[in-house]
Amino acid sequence: MAQREKIIKGYIEFELLNGRSPNSVFELTKKLKFEEADFYTHFGSLDALRSAIVAEFMVKTTALLDEDTNYDAFSAREKLLAMFFTLFEQFSTQRSYLLARYSELKKAPETSKDWRKFMTLLSERANLILSEAKMQEEIKDRPLIGQHYAKGIPVVFTYLFRVWINDDSEAFATTDAAIEKS
């Protein structure tokens, strides 16, 4: 396992086992038995680390979608559905961390600095899908509204994240239904 991955894994474990964030990079690196300088070769701060943890979900989702040989043939609707289903499958791999860290988030995820990079990646992917849809005339490019279609994706994501955080149904059936309907 690469050092960056060890830091991420160690941070998540620290938060889950201690019920809090480390007070400093020093505390985290001592717990992980790293030199503090090693941390800074990968992240500039604990805030940057938290941002990277969340953004990594979108990076992995995008990689999985791009590896799927059938994905290119999907319609825009199917691509957006695949993106959200894959994203929430990725979230499930670290559900305990996401619940511990973000279940009490009073503001929407897009307003939290931990989520800024994630939201940028999400919006970039949505813009790509919507651009393809406009070129293939799957959706109409309306003069005033067309340039704002992608702005709805973070709103949809925020709604879906709230549903998922509170979902206690078997195999997250409630979240799946919300994804389909949104």
Side-chain angles (χ1 to χ4, degrees):
M1 182 182 306
Q3 191 172 45
R4 178 182 168 89
E5 292 167 355
K6 286 181 184 178
I7 294 169
I8 289 172
K9 184 178 181 209
Y11 177 86
I12 291 170
E13 286 179 10
F14 184 99
E15 239 190 65
L16 290 173
L17 294 173
N18 295 293
R20 65 176 178 83
S21 299
N23 293 319
S24 64
V25 171
F26 178 80
E27 181 181 15
L28 177 64
T29 56
K30 284 300 173 198
K31 186 78 170 175
L32 298 177
K33 298 179 175 120
F34 278 62
E35 292 297 320
E36 192 170 354
D38 294 337
F39 176 91
Y40 290 115
T41 63
H42 301 285
F43 306 102
S45 66
L46 290 174
D47 288 340
L49 170 59
R50 285 188 288 274
S51 178
I53 290 169
V54 175
E56 190 64 26
F57 289 113
M58 196 62 211
V59 170
K60 287 180 182 176
T61 296
T62 301
L64 288 168
L65 293 174
D66 291 343
E67 289 173 8
D68 185 345
T69 56
N70 298 318
Y71 180 76
D72 285 337
F74 289 177
S75 68
R77 180 182 184 280
E78 291 167 332
K79 285 181 179 181
L80 286 171
L81 284 171
M83 180 181 71
F84 282 123
F85 279 120
T86 306
L87 178 59
F88 283 93
E89 284 175 19
Q90 291 301 306
F91 281 167
S92 295
T93 66
Q94 293 293 336
R95 183 167 171 84
S96 294
Y97 171 73
L98 291 167
L99 285 173
R101 181 93 187 139
Y102 301 109
S103 66
E104 296 301 320
L105 189 64
K106 301 293 182 213
K107 298 177 183 173
E110 71 263 17
T111 62
S112 168
K113 65 180 169 183
D114 291 359
W115 290 87
R116 286 185 188 141
K117 186 174 180 182
F118 171 91
M119 287 298 187
T120 298
L121 295 171
L122 177 71
S123 293
E124 287 172 359
R125 188 62 174 212
N127 279 327
L128 179 66
I129 293 169
L130 293 171
S131 293
E132 289 175 11
K134 288 175 188 174
M135 286 176 25
Q136 296 172 1
E137 297 182 357
E138 289 180 56
I139 58 174
K140 296 280 184 200
D141 189 10
R142 297 182 181 137
L144 297 175
I145 299 171
Q147 62 191 2
H148 300 289
Y149 287 154
K151 290 180 182 176
I153 299 300
V155 174
V156 171
F157 167 76
T158 300
Y159 162 71
L160 293 173
F161 186 74
R162 285 272 153 242
V163 169
W164 181 79
I165 283 287
N166 296 303
D167 191 354
D168 59 0
S169 64
E170 194 171 311
F172 304 110
T174 303
T175 301
D176 289 350
I179 291 171
E180 297 246 355
K181 292 180 190 309
S182 64

